[in-house]
Amino acid sequence: MPGHKTQPWWSTAVFYQVYPRSFADSNGDGVGDLDGLMARLGYLELLGVDALWINPITVSPMADHGYDVADPRDIDPLFGGLAAFERLIAAAHQRGIKVTMDVVPNHTSSAHPWFQAALAAAPGSATRDRYFFRDGAGPDGLLPPNNWESVFGGPAWTRVDEPDGTPGQWYLHLFDAEQPDLNWDHPDVFDDFEKTLRFWLERGVDGFRIDVAHGMAKPPGLPDSQVNEIRVLHHTDDDPRFNHPSVHAIHRNIRTVVNDYPGAVTVGEVWVTDNARWAEYLRSDELHLGFNFRLAQADFDAAAIHDAVQNSLTATSIENAIPTWTLANHDVGREVTRYGGGDKGLRRARAMAMLMLALPGAVFIYNGQELGLPDVDLPDAALQDPTWERSGHTERGRDRCRVPIPWSGVAPPFGFSASADTWLPIPTDWAALTVEKQRTDADSTLSFFHQMLELRRERAEFDGSGIEWLTAPRDALIFRRRGGGLVCALNASDRAMELPAGELMLASAPLVGGQLPPDAAAWLVSAH
Ligand code: TEU
């Protein structure tokens, strides 16, 4: 790529995903907030991130921790209200950090005034048309209108009591019952979403992460699903609940609005597996960026990692788009645990961070990833993810990867909060993983991330938009950046490997007799 400096800022950016409930609590209520985040901006600047993606902070009853939005144009008091967000935007910008926020177009909270008005209105009333209200099937409408299931488990329909107290219509919710799906065929829905986008862009946000960007559009008539086996928190490409082609008109309309704010970025959560269909979201008049989750789903296996990387590069190349890389987020869990946990899991996670940061494109780091945090086995009583209840206690849900960040000290709450009663309990053995401990340890995962981000930012070896795979030993991977010439080697085998030719820049673990040990990666400056 001829000089990435001419590309938009987000094309090479390191985004840092902040789960605001769990980052830092300023007011001692046990839940993280925006002033807490603001007080830690120095940490993030030092770490070397370019932008924040903040999970939902708008007004919400928090049935799905903010993904149930009751007022999309105000900040929830739990997080400090609008004034706190305005302070945060200004402070982040002062440090050269961009701010992107989650927006949730597929559904609202059941507490949203539109939904409350719909409940108060009579069946068949136009007030209900902003959502999907339908008569039930079977005698007395006792059965849901179709066979769709909620992503969180159980039916995707809930029956309401009509204003006169009689059992009435059903409404559609692909997620929790507190998250009724919006009907995007209703003109109010886009009009209001446009207002929301402009409201935040006018206040200086640098872009949006668009929740369920492959949702929104529903097939006419809401036909039954033919998919036989539906798993909680998963769906396939033939699932009628998602990825209906008319979603693309919505994205084109969104892009038209965002184009009024040069530099603003949209990144869509697009759970679509087929490359051609996934790439449709990245056409030049739709999303700027799309999450590709292959790497976050791949095991620590050379062939699987190679396929995930190559697949993502191929998919983005269809529309000449910028690839994105992510190993963990608030839904899919933490990679240390996915790679086997313990010391092995951590070594693999460090190696994979190296691989990810060596790739061309935008990178997403999930808060706590830079500390090497694992998922946490939480007691039943602590679980809050609606998935736990909706699945009839068969799926423990996503709380395991949402535990608050350990900042300092030797016992919970580790400086996260003044209250010991944090919204999820923090394990005592995280004493070894605090920021305070890791900051002064040159071999810590935090120091390692700091070094990686600095090199990635400053060295010309990271230039260029393409990679070439080089010959590697069995169960190892080696690739080279086409532009700058950086070489990245990953050893996923069970024996040490010879490093490729070149000068060693950084390794995720100490070399052993000049060789790269198993579960490790290295960056080298190409010899030629
Ligand atoms: O997730 C949407 C979604 O489809 C995921 O539930 C996905 O199927 C699953 O996590 C794959 O493992 C988004 C948000 O990221 C999630 O936190 C919200 O709960 C959900 O939307 C509803 O807004």
Side-chain angles (χ1 to χ4, degrees):
M1 184 164 60
H4 64 259
K5 308 238 155 33
T6 58
Q7 301 286 314
W9 65 268
W10 41 263
S11 64
T12 57
V14 174
F15 287 83
Y16 185 89
Q17 179 190 350
V18 175
Y19 198 69
R21 296 180 74 82
S22 300
F23 195 67
D25 173 20
S26 73
N27 66 352
D29 64 359
V31 180
D33 49 47
L34 294 174
D35 282 336
L37 169 54
M38 194 167 91
R40 304 286 185 182
L41 282 176
Y43 166 78
L44 296 174
E45 186 184 4
L46 202 65
L47 180 61
V49 308
D50 301 303
L52 308 180
W53 153 30
I54 309 173
N55 284 106
I57 46 177
T58 44
V59 175
S60 165
M62 306 288 166
D64 188 22
H65 296 329
Y67 283 105
D68 47 322
V69 178
D71 181 352
R73 294 186 289 279
D74 199 359
I75 301 296
D76 199 278
L78 183 71
F79 296 125
L82 186 58
F85 191 41
E86 288 181 328
R87 283 195 292 277
L88 175 77
I89 295 170
H93 284 170
Q94 213 152 42
R95 292 180 186 271
I97 298 174
K98 312 260 188 205
V99 178
T100 69
M101 69 191 295
D102 234 304
V103 284
V104 188
N106 180 69
H107 43 267
T108 68
S109 162
S110 51
H112 190 288
W114 281 358
F115 193 73
Q116 288 300 311
L119 287 182
S125 139
T127 312
R128 290 195 169 176
D129 289 348
R130 297 187 188 110
Y131 296 92
F132 292 95
F133 279 84
R134 295 288 185 274
D135 293 333
D140 300 322
L142 274 170
L143 299 172
N146 73 14
N147 70 353
W148 292 8
E149 286 183 31
S150 153
V151 172
F152 295 163
W157 296 90
T158 290
R159 194 171 195 187
V160 300
D161 284 335
E162 297 303 348
D164 66 5
T166 57
Q169 288 194 300
W170 299 68
Y171 69 89
L172 177 69
H173 53 87
L174 295 191
F175 297 91
D176 198 32
E178 275 74 35
Q179 295 167 294
D181 278 59
L182 283 165
N183 171 18
W184 274 81
D185 288 334
H186 194 295
D188 285 359
V189 175
F190 181 75
D191 285 355
D192 193 72
F193 193 62
E194 172 170 1
K195 271 191 204 150
T196 299
L197 296 174
R198 290 192 191 277
F199 181 89
W200 296 117
L201 290 163
E202 296 293 340
R203 273 159 190 76
V205 309
D206 301 288
F208 303 101
R209 180 266 190 185
I210 300 186
D211 188 57
V212 200
H214 61 313
M216 298 183 272
K218 308 293 188 290
L222 308 179
D224 273 343
S225 170
Q226 306 300 318
V227 183
N228 289 326
E229 205 203 335
I230 300 218
R231 282 166 61 207
V232 170
L233 291 176
H234 289 83
H235 52 269
T236 48
D237 280 5
D238 52 353
D239 190 321
R241 296 175 299 172
F242 297 101
N243 195 27
H244 188 264
S246 56
V247 71
H248 296 291
I250 300 172
H251 283 296
R252 283 192 288 275
N253 288 336
I254 292 174
R255 181 61 176 262
T256 305
V257 175
V258 175
N259 279 347
D260 284 346
Y261 303 82
V265 66
T266 54
V267 50
E269 183 199 25
V270 184
W271 283 98
V272 173
T273 308
D274 179 75
N275 283 347
R277 304 219 48 205
W278 181 84
E280 288 169 355
Y281 290 81
L282 296 176
R283 289 182 284 217
S284 58
D285 56 354
E286 298 196 30
L287 293 163
H288 294 103
L289 296 171
F291 280 107
N292 186 310
F293 295 106
R294 302 266 172 131
L295 205 54
Q297 292 172 317
D299 289 337
F300 191 79
D301 169 86
I305 296 163
H306 173 276
D307 287 357
V309 169
Q310 193 49 50
N311 191 276
S312 182
L313 292 171
T314 304
T316 42
S317 72
I318 296 173
E319 290 299 333
N320 200 17
I322 301 288
T324 67
W325 308 102
T326 185
L327 293 173
N329 67 27
H330 65 296
D331 290 331
V332 301
R334 293 192 176 279
E335 73 281 25
V336 171
T337 301
R338 203 169 52 242
Y339 300 143
D343 189 47
K344 195 180 196 60
L346 179 59
R347 278 187 283 123
R348 291 174 166 182
R350 288 169 59 128
M352 285 301 288
M354 252 192 146
L355 175 122
M356 170 172 86
L357 287 162
L359 290 164
V363 170
F364 289 80
I365 293 175
Y366 177 48
N367 58 193
Q369 182 171 354
E370 78 280 17
L371 302 175
L373 299 185
D375 284 345
V376 178
D377 277 328
L378 292 162
D380 290 3
L383 298 181
Q384 303 198 19
D385 184 349
T387 302
W388 174 236
E389 289 302 328
R390 290 199 61 88
S391 69
H393 294 186
T394 58
E395 292 291 332
R396 301 187 70 75
R398 302 159 292 178
D399 297 307
R400 68 184 195 283
C401 59
R402 298 174 176 180
V403 170
I405 301 294
W407 290 96
S408 58
V410 294
F414 296 117
F416 162 73
S417 170
S419 166
D421 191 18
T422 54
W423 78 278
L424 289 173
I426 313 177
T428 50
D429 62 2
W430 281 14
L433 296 173
T434 63
V435 170
E436 185 181 48
K437 267 225 128 123
Q438 297 201 38
R439 190 157 35 198
T440 49
D441 173 0
D443 296 327
S444 71
T445 303
L446 178 58
S447 300
F448 174 61
F449 266 82
H450 177 245
Q451 276 177 286
M452 285 194 292
L453 295 190
E454 188 171 76
L455 289 167
R456 186 183 186 278
R457 190 171 57 241
E458 286 176 3
R459 297 285 291 256
E461 285 84 358
F462 291 81
D463 280 354
S465 61
I467 65 167
E468 60 184 307
W469 297 99
L470 307 181
T471 310
R474 192 157 46 87
D475 299 325
L477 296 173
I478 305 175
F479 64 84
R480 185 176 171 280
R481 287 288 289 270
R482 278 228 172 82
L486 175 81
V487 171
C488 179
L490 177 94
N491 186 358
S493 80
D494 53 12
R495 58 202 177 278
M497 75 181 257
E498 216 52 75
L499 280 173
E503 183 198 330
L504 183 68
M505 198 187 273
L506 187 67
S508 67
L511 301 188
V512 176
Q515 295 196 317
L516 188 66
D519 303 320
W523 287 346
L524 300 102
V525 180
S526 181
H528 83 122

